[in-house]
Amino acid sequence: MQVSETGTEMQTTEDRPDAPQTGRRAAGEDPAKREQILDGAKRVFMEQGFEAASMNDITRAAGVSKGTIYVYFENKEDLFGYMIERERRRLTETVRHALDSHKPIGETLQEFGMLFATHITADHTIRAMRMVIAANHRLPTLCSRFFSATPINPVSVLQEYLDRQVAAGIVISDDTAHAAKQFIELTTVGLFKPRIFGSMEEVPSKAAIERNVTSAIRVFLAAYGAKP
Protein backbone atom coordinates (compact mmCIF):
# COMPACT_ATOMS: atom_id res chain seq x y z
CA MET A 1 0.00 0.00 0.00
CA GLN A 2 1.29 3.45 -0.92
CA VAL A 3 0.20 6.94 0.19
CA SER A 4 -0.33 9.75 -2.35
CA GLU A 5 0.89 13.30 -1.97
CA THR A 6 -2.60 14.27 -0.73
CA GLY A 7 -2.42 11.68 2.03
CA THR A 8 -4.92 9.23 0.54
CA GLU A 9 -4.07 5.56 0.32
CA MET A 10 -3.30 4.08 -3.08
CA GLN A 11 -3.61 0.33 -3.68
CA THR A 12 -0.65 -1.10 -5.54
CA THR A 13 -0.79 -4.04 -7.94
CA GLU A 14 0.73 -6.36 -5.31
CA ASP A 15 -1.99 -5.41 -2.79
CA ARG A 16 -4.86 -6.41 -5.04
CA PRO A 17 -5.80 -10.10 -4.65
CA ASP A 18 -6.96 -10.30 -8.26
CA ALA A 19 -3.76 -8.80 -9.66
CA PRO A 20 -1.68 -11.07 -11.90
CA GLN A 21 1.47 -12.45 -10.30
CA THR A 22 4.67 -11.63 -12.13
CA GLY A 23 7.55 -13.96 -11.33
CA ARG A 24 6.07 -15.10 -8.01
CA ARG A 25 4.13 -18.33 -7.49
CA ALA A 26 1.29 -18.60 -5.03
CA ALA A 27 1.97 -20.69 -1.94
CA GLY A 28 1.86 -24.39 -2.73
CA GLU A 29 2.07 -23.96 -6.50
CA ASP A 30 5.80 -24.25 -7.14
CA PRO A 31 6.39 -27.60 -8.92
CA ALA A 32 10.12 -27.55 -8.16
CA LYS A 33 9.49 -27.08 -4.44
CA ARG A 34 6.92 -29.88 -4.43
CA GLU A 35 9.42 -32.22 -6.13
CA GLN A 36 12.10 -31.19 -3.63
CA ILE A 37 9.84 -32.15 -0.74
CA LEU A 38 8.83 -35.44 -2.36
CA ASP A 39 12.47 -36.33 -3.03
CA GLY A 40 13.35 -35.73 0.61
CA ALA A 41 10.33 -37.68 1.80
CA LYS A 42 11.20 -40.61 -0.44
CA ARG A 43 14.69 -40.85 1.06
CA VAL A 44 13.30 -40.84 4.59
CA PHE A 45 10.50 -43.33 3.91
CA MET A 46 12.84 -45.73 2.15
CA GLU A 47 15.42 -45.55 4.96
CA GLN A 48 13.13 -45.57 7.99
CA GLY A 49 9.78 -46.91 6.88
CA PHE A 50 6.44 -45.15 7.03
CA GLU A 51 5.72 -45.57 10.74
CA ALA A 52 9.16 -44.48 11.97
CA ALA A 53 9.51 -41.51 9.62
CA SER A 54 8.69 -38.13 11.15
CA MET A 55 7.89 -34.81 9.59
CA ASN A 56 11.02 -33.41 11.27
CA ASP A 57 13.11 -36.04 9.46
CA ILE A 58 11.45 -35.17 6.16
CA THR A 59 11.97 -31.45 6.81
CA ARG A 60 15.71 -31.98 7.23
CA ALA A 61 16.00 -34.31 4.24
CA ALA A 62 14.07 -31.95 1.97
CA GLY A 63 15.90 -28.83 3.16
CA VAL A 64 12.71 -26.86 3.78
CA SER A 65 10.80 -25.60 6.81
CA LYS A 66 8.00 -27.62 8.33
CA GLY A 67 5.63 -24.79 7.49
CA THR A 68 6.55 -25.12 3.82
CA ILE A 69 5.74 -28.83 3.85
CA TYR A 70 2.28 -28.16 5.28
CA VAL A 71 1.60 -25.64 2.52
CA TYR A 72 1.94 -28.49 0.00
CA PHE A 73 0.77 -31.54 1.97
CA GLU A 74 -1.75 -32.02 4.78
CA ASN A 75 0.21 -34.57 6.80
CA LYS A 76 2.60 -37.51 6.56
CA GLU A 77 -0.06 -39.80 5.12
CA ASP A 78 -0.90 -37.29 2.40
CA LEU A 79 2.79 -36.85 1.59
CA PHE A 80 3.34 -40.60 1.35
CA GLY A 81 0.29 -40.98 -0.89
CA TYR A 82 1.53 -38.33 -3.31
CA MET A 83 5.00 -39.89 -3.32
CA ILE A 84 3.49 -43.25 -4.33
CA GLU A 85 1.36 -41.61 -7.01
CA ARG A 86 4.42 -39.85 -8.42
CA GLU A 87 6.36 -43.12 -8.65
CA ARG A 88 3.42 -44.81 -10.34
CA ARG A 89 3.14 -41.95 -12.81
CA ARG A 90 6.84 -42.22 -13.64
CA LEU A 91 6.51 -45.97 -14.21
CA THR A 92 3.48 -45.40 -16.41
CA GLU A 93 5.32 -42.90 -18.59
CA THR A 94 8.28 -45.28 -18.88
CA VAL A 95 6.24 -48.28 -20.00
CA ARG A 96 4.06 -46.12 -22.27
CA HIS A 97 7.09 -45.34 -24.43
CA ALA A 98 7.61 -49.06 -24.99
CA LEU A 99 4.19 -49.50 -26.56
CA ASP A 100 5.09 -48.78 -30.17
CA SER A 101 2.42 -49.90 -32.62
CA HIS A 102 4.94 -49.93 -35.46
CA LYS A 103 6.90 -52.84 -33.95
CA PRO A 104 5.79 -56.49 -33.93
CA ILE A 105 3.49 -57.14 -30.98
CA GLY A 106 5.81 -59.74 -29.45
CA GLU A 107 8.72 -57.32 -29.41
CA THR A 108 6.60 -54.55 -27.94
CA LEU A 109 5.15 -56.73 -25.19
CA GLN A 110 8.65 -57.98 -24.38
CA GLU A 111 9.92 -54.46 -23.78
CA PHE A 112 6.82 -53.46 -21.82
CA GLY A 113 6.92 -56.61 -19.71
CA MET A 114 10.62 -56.29 -18.90
CA LEU A 115 10.21 -52.69 -17.75
CA PHE A 116 7.15 -53.45 -15.64
CA ALA A 117 8.39 -56.67 -14.01
CA THR A 118 11.79 -55.14 -13.25
CA HIS A 119 10.17 -52.18 -11.53
CA ILE A 120 7.55 -54.11 -9.58
CA THR A 121 10.12 -56.53 -8.11
CA ALA A 122 12.73 -53.85 -7.31
CA ASP A 123 13.72 -53.26 -3.69
CA HIS A 124 12.26 -49.74 -3.45
CA THR A 125 8.90 -50.88 -4.83
CA ILE A 126 8.68 -53.86 -2.51
CA ARG A 127 9.58 -51.70 0.52
CA ALA A 128 6.92 -49.16 -0.39
CA MET A 129 4.24 -51.83 -0.76
CA ARG A 130 5.19 -53.42 2.55
CA MET A 131 4.96 -50.04 4.26
CA VAL A 132 1.43 -49.54 2.99
CA ILE A 133 0.32 -53.03 4.01
CA ALA A 134 1.84 -52.61 7.48
CA ALA A 135 -0.03 -49.33 8.00
CA ASN A 136 -3.37 -50.67 6.76
CA HIS A 137 -4.73 -51.50 10.21
CA ARG A 138 -4.34 -47.88 11.29
CA LEU A 139 -4.72 -46.07 7.97
CA PRO A 140 -7.02 -48.10 5.71
CA THR A 141 -7.59 -45.13 3.39
CA LEU A 142 -3.86 -45.01 2.64
CA CYS A 143 -3.90 -48.64 1.53
CA SER A 144 -7.00 -48.00 -0.58
CA ARG A 145 -5.30 -44.99 -2.17
CA PHE A 146 -2.22 -47.07 -2.94
CA PHE A 147 -4.06 -49.86 -4.75
CA SER A 148 -6.91 -47.88 -6.28
CA ALA A 149 -6.86 -47.45 -10.04
CA THR A 150 -5.91 -44.01 -11.32
CA PRO A 151 -7.04 -42.78 -14.74
CA ILE A 152 -3.55 -43.23 -16.17
CA ASN A 153 -1.62 -46.31 -15.04
CA PRO A 154 0.24 -49.27 -16.58
CA VAL A 155 -3.00 -51.17 -17.13
CA SER A 156 -4.73 -48.26 -18.88
CA VAL A 157 -1.83 -47.54 -21.25
CA LEU A 158 -1.51 -51.23 -22.13
CA GLN A 159 -5.26 -51.37 -22.71
CA GLU A 160 -4.98 -48.45 -25.16
CA TYR A 161 -2.25 -50.31 -27.02
CA LEU A 162 -4.32 -53.50 -27.15
CA ASP A 163 -7.30 -51.52 -28.45
CA ARG A 164 -5.14 -50.43 -31.38
CA GLN A 165 -4.06 -54.02 -31.94
CA VAL A 166 -7.69 -55.17 -31.96
CA ALA A 167 -8.51 -52.49 -34.53
CA ALA A 168 -5.59 -53.72 -36.66
CA GLY A 169 -6.80 -57.32 -36.45
CA ILE A 170 -3.71 -58.50 -34.57
CA VAL A 171 -5.45 -59.15 -31.25
CA ILE A 172 -8.92 -60.56 -30.63
CA SER A 173 -10.56 -59.44 -27.39
CA ASP A 174 -13.87 -57.97 -26.31
CA ASP A 175 -12.40 -56.85 -22.95
CA THR A 176 -8.96 -55.33 -23.44
CA ALA A 177 -8.90 -53.97 -19.88
CA HIS A 178 -9.10 -57.51 -18.53
CA ALA A 179 -6.59 -58.75 -21.10
CA ALA A 180 -4.15 -56.01 -20.06
CA LYS A 181 -4.47 -57.03 -16.40
CA GLN A 182 -3.89 -60.66 -17.29
CA PHE A 183 -0.72 -59.91 -19.22
CA ILE A 184 0.68 -57.76 -16.42
CA GLU A 185 -0.04 -60.51 -13.88
CA LEU A 186 1.63 -63.09 -16.12
CA THR A 187 4.85 -61.06 -16.30
CA THR A 188 5.35 -61.36 -12.52
CA VAL A 189 4.07 -64.89 -11.86
CA GLY A 190 6.41 -66.61 -9.38
CA LEU A 191 8.32 -63.36 -8.79
CA PHE A 192 6.15 -60.71 -7.19
CA LYS A 193 4.49 -62.70 -4.40
CA PRO A 194 7.73 -64.36 -3.26
CA ARG A 195 9.31 -60.88 -3.22
CA ILE A 196 6.51 -59.16 -1.28
CA PHE A 197 6.28 -61.97 1.31
CA GLY A 198 10.04 -62.31 1.75
CA SER A 199 10.69 -65.82 0.46
CA MET A 200 12.73 -64.29 -2.39
CA GLU A 201 15.09 -61.84 -0.72
CA GLU A 202 17.21 -60.98 -3.73
CA VAL A 203 15.98 -59.00 -6.71
CA PRO A 204 15.33 -61.47 -9.55
CA SER A 205 17.99 -61.51 -12.23
CA LYS A 206 17.40 -60.01 -15.64
CA ALA A 207 17.52 -63.53 -17.09
CA ALA A 208 14.81 -64.74 -14.70
CA ILE A 209 12.57 -61.79 -15.54
CA GLU A 210 13.17 -62.31 -19.24
CA ARG A 211 12.14 -65.99 -19.01
CA ASN A 212 8.99 -64.93 -17.19
CA VAL A 213 8.07 -62.27 -19.71
CA THR A 214 8.79 -64.51 -22.69
CA SER A 215 6.50 -67.17 -21.22
CA ALA A 216 3.84 -64.51 -20.51
CA ILE A 217 3.88 -63.40 -24.14
CA ARG A 218 3.54 -66.98 -25.38
CA VAL A 219 0.51 -67.62 -23.14
CA PHE A 220 -1.05 -64.23 -23.88
CA LEU A 221 -0.79 -64.51 -27.66
CA ALA A 222 -2.08 -68.08 -27.57
CA ALA A 223 -5.21 -66.72 -25.92
CA TYR A 224 -5.63 -63.39 -27.67
CA GLY A 225 -3.51 -63.42 -30.81
CA ALA A 226 -5.38 -63.51 -34.12
CA LYS A 227 -4.95 -66.87 -35.80
CA PRO A 228 -3.50 -66.85 -39.36
Coordinates of all heavy atoms in Angstrom, one line a residue, residues 64-107:
V64 N 13.7 -27.9 3.7 CA 12.7 -26.9 3.8 C 12.2 -26.8 5.2 O 12.5 -27.6 6.1 CB 11.5 -27.1 2.8 CG1 12.0 -27.2 1.4 CG2 10.8 -28.5 3.2
S65 N 11.4 -25.7 5.5 CA 10.8 -25.6 6.8 C 9.6 -26.5 6.9 O 9.0 -26.9 5.9 CB 10.4 -24.1 7.1 OG 9.3 -23.8 6.2
K66 N 9.2 -26.8 8.1 CA 8.0 -27.6 8.3 C 6.8 -26.9 7.8 O 5.8 -27.5 7.3 CB 7.8 -28.0 9.8 CG 6.7 -29.0 10.0 CD 6.6 -29.4 11.5 CE 7.8 -30.2 12.0 NZ 7.5 -30.7 13.4
G67 N 6.8 -25.6 8.0 CA 5.6 -24.8 7.5 C 5.5 -24.9 6.0 O 4.4 -25.0 5.5
T68 N 6.6 -25.0 5.3 CA 6.5 -25.1 3.8 C 5.9 -26.5 3.4 O 5.1 -26.5 2.5 CB 8.0 -25.0 3.2 OG1 8.5 -23.7 3.5 CG2 7.9 -25.2 1.7
I69 N 6.3 -27.5 4.2 CA 5.7 -28.8 3.9 C 4.2 -28.8 4.0 O 3.5 -29.3 3.1 CB 6.3 -29.9 4.8 CG1 7.8 -30.2 4.4 CG2 5.5 -31.2 4.7 CD1 8.5 -31.2 5.2
Y70 N 3.7 -28.2 5.0 CA 2.3 -28.2 5.3 C 1.5 -27.3 4.3 O 0.3 -27.3 4.2 CB 2.0 -27.8 6.7 CG 2.3 -28.9 7.7 CD1 3.2 -28.7 8.7 CD2 1.6 -30.1 7.6 CE1 3.5 -29.7 9.6 CE2 1.9 -31.1 8.5 CZ 2.8 -30.9 9.5 OH 3.1 -31.9 10.3
V71 N 2.2 -26.4 3.6 CA 1.6 -25.6 2.5 C 1.3 -26.6 1.4 O 0.2 -26.4 0.7 CB 2.5 -24.5 2.0 CG1 2.0 -23.9 0.7 CG2 2.6 -23.4 3.1
Y72 N 2.1 -27.6 1.1 CA 1.9 -28.5 0.0 C 1.2 -29.8 0.4 O 0.5 -30.4 -0.5 CB 3.3 -28.8 -0.6 CG 4.0 -27.7 -1.3 CD1 4.7 -26.7 -0.6 CD2 3.9 -27.6 -2.7 CE1 5.3 -25.7 -1.3 CE2 4.4 -26.6 -3.4 CZ 5.1 -25.6 -2.7 OH 5.7 -24.5 -3.4
F73 N 1.3 -30.3 1.6 CA 0.8 -31.5 2.0 C 0.1 -31.4 3.3 O 0.6 -30.8 4.2 CB 1.9 -32.6 2.0 CG 2.6 -32.7 0.7 CD1 3.8 -32.1 0.5 CD2 2.1 -33.5 -0.4 CE1 4.5 -32.2 -0.7 CE2 2.7 -33.6 -1.6 CZ 4.0 -32.9 -1.8
E74 N -1.0 -32.1 3.5 CA -1.7 -32.0 4.8 C -1.0 -32.7 6.0 O -1.0 -32.1 7.1 CB -3.1 -32.7 4.6 CG -4.0 -31.9 3.7 CD -5.4 -32.6 3.6 OE1 -5.7 -33.5 4.4 OE2 -6.2 -32.2 2.7
N75 N -0.4 -33.8 5.7 CA 0.2 -34.6 6.8 C 1.1 -35.6 6.2 O 1.3 -35.7 5.0 CB -0.8 -35.2 7.7 CG -1.9 -36.0 6.9 OD1 -1.6 -36.6 5.9 ND2 -3.2 -35.8 7.3
K76 N 1.7 -36.5 7.0 CA 2.6 -37.5 6.6 C 1.9 -38.5 5.6 O 2.5 -38.9 4.6 CB 3.2 -38.3 7.8 CG 4.3 -39.3 7.4 CD 5.0 -39.8 8.6 CE 4.1 -40.8 9.3 NZ 4.9 -41.6 10.3
E77 N 0.7 -38.9 5.9 CA -0.1 -39.8 5.1 C -0.3 -39.2 3.7 O -0.1 -39.9 2.7 CB -1.4 -40.2 5.8 CG -1.3 -41.0 7.1 CD -0.9 -40.1 8.3 OE1 -0.9 -38.9 8.1 OE2 -0.6 -40.7 9.3
D78 N -0.7 -38.0 3.7 CA -0.9 -37.3 2.4 C 0.4 -37.2 1.6 O 0.4 -37.5 0.4 CB -1.4 -35.9 2.7 CG -1.9 -35.2 1.4 OD1 -2.6 -35.8 0.6 OD2 -1.5 -34.0 1.2
L79 N 1.5 -36.9 2.3 CA 2.8 -36.8 1.6 C 3.2 -38.2 1.0 O 3.7 -38.3 -0.1 CB 3.8 -36.3 2.6 CG 5.3 -36.2 2.1 CD1 5.4 -35.3 0.9 CD2 6.1 -35.5 3.3
F80 N 3.0 -39.3 1.8 CA 3.3 -40.6 1.3 C 2.5 -41.0 0.2 O 3.0 -41.6 -0.8 CB 3.1 -41.6 2.5 CG 3.6 -43.0 2.1 CD1 4.9 -43.3 2.1 CD2 2.6 -44.0 1.8 CE1 5.3 -44.6 1.8 CE2 3.0 -45.3 1.5 CZ 4.4 -45.6 1.5
G81 N 1.2 -40.7 0.2 CA 0.3 -41.0 -0.9 C 0.7 -40.3 -2.2 O 0.7 -40.9 -3.2
Y82 N 1.1 -39.0 -2.1 CA 1.5 -38.3 -3.3 C 2.9 -38.9 -3.8 O 3.1 -38.9 -5.0 CB 1.6 -36.8 -3.0 CG 0.4 -36.1 -3.2 CD1 -0.4 -35.7 -2.1 CD2 -0.2 -35.8 -4.5 CE1 -1.6 -35.0 -2.2 CE2 -1.4 -35.2 -4.6 CZ -2.1 -34.8 -3.5 OH -3.3 -34.1 -3.7
M83 N 3.7 -39.3 -2.9 CA 5.0 -39.9 -3.3 C 4.7 -41.2 -4.1 O 5.4 -41.4 -5.2 CB 5.9 -40.2 -2.1 CG 7.2 -40.8 -2.4 SD 8.0 -41.7 -1.1 CE 7.1 -43.2 -1.1
I84 N 3.8 -42.0 -3.6 CA 3.5 -43.2 -4.3 C 2.9 -42.9 -5.7 O 3.2 -43.6 -6.7 CB 2.5 -44.1 -3.5 CG1 3.2 -44.6 -2.2 CG2 2.0 -45.3 -4.3 CD1 4.4 -45.5 -2.4
E85 N 2.0 -42.0 -5.7 CA 1.4 -41.6 -7.0 C 2.4 -41.1 -8.0 O 2.3 -41.4 -9.2 CB 0.3 -40.6 -6.8 CG -0.9 -41.1 -6.1 CD -1.9 -40.1 -5.6 OE1 -1.8 -38.9 -6.1 OE2 -2.9 -40.4 -4.9
R86 N 3.4 -40.3 -7.5 CA 4.4 -39.8 -8.4 C 5.2 -41.0 -9.0 O 5.5 -41.0 -10.2 CB 5.4 -38.9 -7.7 CG 6.4 -38.3 -8.6 CD 7.4 -37.4 -7.8 NE 8.3 -38.2 -6.9 CZ 9.4 -37.7 -6.4 NH1 9.8 -36.4 -6.7 NH2 10.2 -38.4 -5.7
E87 N 5.6 -42.0 -8.2 CA 6.4 -43.1 -8.6 C 5.6 -43.9 -9.7 O 6.1 -44.4 -10.6 CB 6.8 -44.0 -7.5 CG 7.7 -43.3 -6.5 CD 8.9 -42.7 -7.1 OE1 9.7 -43.4 -7.8 OE2 9.2 -41.5 -7.0
R88 N 4.3 -44.1 -9.4 CA 3.4 -44.8 -10.3 C 3.3 -44.1 -11.7 O 3.3 -44.7 -12.7 CB 2.0 -45.0 -9.7 CG 1.1 -45.8 -10.6 CD -0.1 -46.4 -9.9 NE -0.7 -45.4 -8.9 CZ -1.6 -45.8 -8.0 NH1 -1.9 -47.1 -7.9 NH2 -2.1 -44.9 -7.2
R89 N 3.2 -42.8 -11.6 CA 3.1 -41.9 -12.8 C 4.4 -42.1 -13.6 O 4.4 -42.2 -14.9 CB 2.9 -40.5 -12.4 CG 2.7 -39.6 -13.7 CD 2.3 -38.2 -13.2 NE 3.3 -37.5 -12.5 CZ 3.2 -37.2 -11.2 NH1 2.2 -37.6 -10.5 NH2 4.2 -36.6 -10.5
R90 N 5.6 -42.1 -12.9 CA 6.8 -42.2 -13.6 C 6.9 -43.6 -14.3 O 7.4 -43.7 -15.4 CB 8.0 -42.0 -12.6 CG 8.2 -40.6 -12.2 CD 9.3 -40.5 -11.2 NE 9.6 -39.1 -10.9 CZ 10.5 -38.7 -9.9 NH1 11.2 -39.6 -9.2 NH2 10.7 -37.4 -9.7
L91 N 6.5 -44.6 -13.6 CA 6.5 -46.0 -14.2 C 5.6 -46.0 -15.4 O 6.0 -46.6 -16.5 CB 6.0 -47.0 -13.2 CG 5.8 -48.4 -13.7 CD1 7.0 -49.0 -14.3 CD2 5.1 -49.3 -12.7
T92 N 4.4 -45.4 -15.3 CA 3.5 -45.4 -16.4 C 4.1 -44.7 -17.6 O 3.9 -45.2 -18.8 CB 2.2 -44.7 -16.0 OG1 1.6 -45.4 -14.9 CG2 1.2 -44.7 -17.2
E93 N 4.7 -43.6 -17.5 CA 5.3 -42.9 -18.6 C 6.4 -43.7 -19.2 O 6.6 -43.7 -20.4 CB 5.8 -41.5 -18.2 CG 4.7 -40.5 -17.9 CD 3.8 -40.4 -19.0 OE1 4.2 -40.2 -20.2 OE2 2.5 -40.5 -18.8
T94 N 7.2 -44.4 -18.4 CA 8.3 -45.3 -18.9 C 7.7 -46.4 -19.8 O 8.2 -46.6 -20.9 CB 9.1 -45.9 -17.7 OG1 9.7 -44.8 -17.0 CG2 10.2 -46.8 -18.2
V95 N 6.8 -47.1 -19.2 CA 6.2 -48.3 -20.0 C 5.4 -47.8 -21.2 O 5.3 -48.5 -22.2 CB 5.4 -49.2 -19.1 CG1 6.3 -49.8 -18.0 CG2 4.2 -48.5 -18.5
R96 N 4.8 -46.6 -21.1 CA 4.1 -46.1 -22.3 C 4.9 -46.0 -23.5 O 4.5 -46.3 -24.6 CB 3.4 -44.8 -21.9 CG 2.5 -44.2 -23.0 CD 2.4 -42.7 -22.9 NE 1.7 -42.3 -21.7 CZ 0.4 -42.1 -21.6 NH1 -0.4 -42.4 -22.6 NH2 -0.1 -41.7 -20.5
H97 N 6.2 -45.5 -23.3 CA 7.1 -45.3 -24.4 C 7.5 -46.7 -25.1 O 7.9 -46.7 -26.3 CB 8.4 -44.6 -24.0 CG 8.1 -43.2 -23.5 ND1 7.4 -42.3 -24.3 CD2 8.5 -42.5 -22.4 CE1 7.4 -41.1 -23.7 NE2 8.0 -41.2 -22.5
A98 N 7.3 -47.8 -24.4 CA 7.6 -49.1 -25.0 C 6.5 -49.6 -25.9 O 6.8 -50.5 -26.7 CB 7.8 -50.1 -23.9
L99 N 5.3 -49.0 -25.8 CA 4.2 -49.5 -26.6 C 4.1 -48.8 -27.9 O 3.3 -48.0 -28.2 CB 2.9 -49.3 -25.8 CG 2.8 -50.0 -24.4 CD1 1.6 -49.6 -23.6 CD2 2.8 -51.5 -24.7
D100 N 5.0 -49.3 -28.8 CA 5.1 -48.8 -30.2 C 4.3 -49.7 -31.1 O 4.7 -50.8 -31.4 CB 6.6 -48.7 -30.6 CG 6.8 -48.0 -31.9 OD1 5.8 -47.8 -32.6 OD2 7.9 -47.7 -32.2
S101 N 3.3 -49.1 -31.7 CA 2.4 -49.9 -32.6 C 3.1 -50.3 -33.9 O 2.6 -51.1 -34.7 CB 1.1 -49.1 -32.9 OG 0.4 -48.9 -31.8
H102 N 4.2 -49.7 -34.2 CA 4.9 -49.9 -35.5 C 5.9 -51.2 -35.4 O 6.4 -51.6 -36.4 CB 5.8 -48.7 -35.9 CG 4.9 -47.5 -36.1 ND1 4.0 -47.4 -37.2 CD2 4.8 -46.3 -35.4 CE1 3.4 -46.2 -37.1 NE2 3.9 -45.6 -36.1
K103 N 6.1 -51.7 -34.1 CA 6.9 -52.8 -34.0 C 6.0 -54.1 -33.9 O 4.8 -54.0 -33.6 CB 7.7 -52.7 -32.7 CG 8.7 -51.6 -32.6 CD 9.5 -51.6 -31.3 CE 10.5 -50.5 -31.2 NZ 11.2 -50.5 -29.9
P104 N 6.6 -55.2 -34.1 CA 5.8 -56.5 -33.9 C 5.3 -56.6 -32.5 O 6.0 -56.2 -31.5 CB 6.8 -57.6 -34.2 CG 7.8 -56.9 -35.1 CD 7.9 -55.5 -34.6
I105 N 4.1 -57.1 -32.3 CA 3.5 -57.1 -31.0 C 4.3 -57.9 -30.0 O 4.4 -57.5 -28.8 CB 2.1 -57.7 -31.0 CG1 1.4 -57.6 -29.6 CG2 2.1 -59.2 -31.5 CD1 -0.1 -57.9 -29.7
G106 N 5.0 -59.0 -30.4 CA 5.8 -59.7 -29.5 C 7.0 -58.9 -28.9 O 7.3 -59.0 -27.7
E107 N 7.6 -58.2 -29.8 CA 8.7 -57.3 -29.4 C 8.3 -56.2 -28.5 O 8.9 -55.9 -27.5 CB 9.4 -56.7 -30.7 CG 10.6 -55.9 -30.4 CD 11.2 -55.4 -31.7 OE1 11.0 -56.0 -32.8 OE2 11.9 -54.3 -31.6

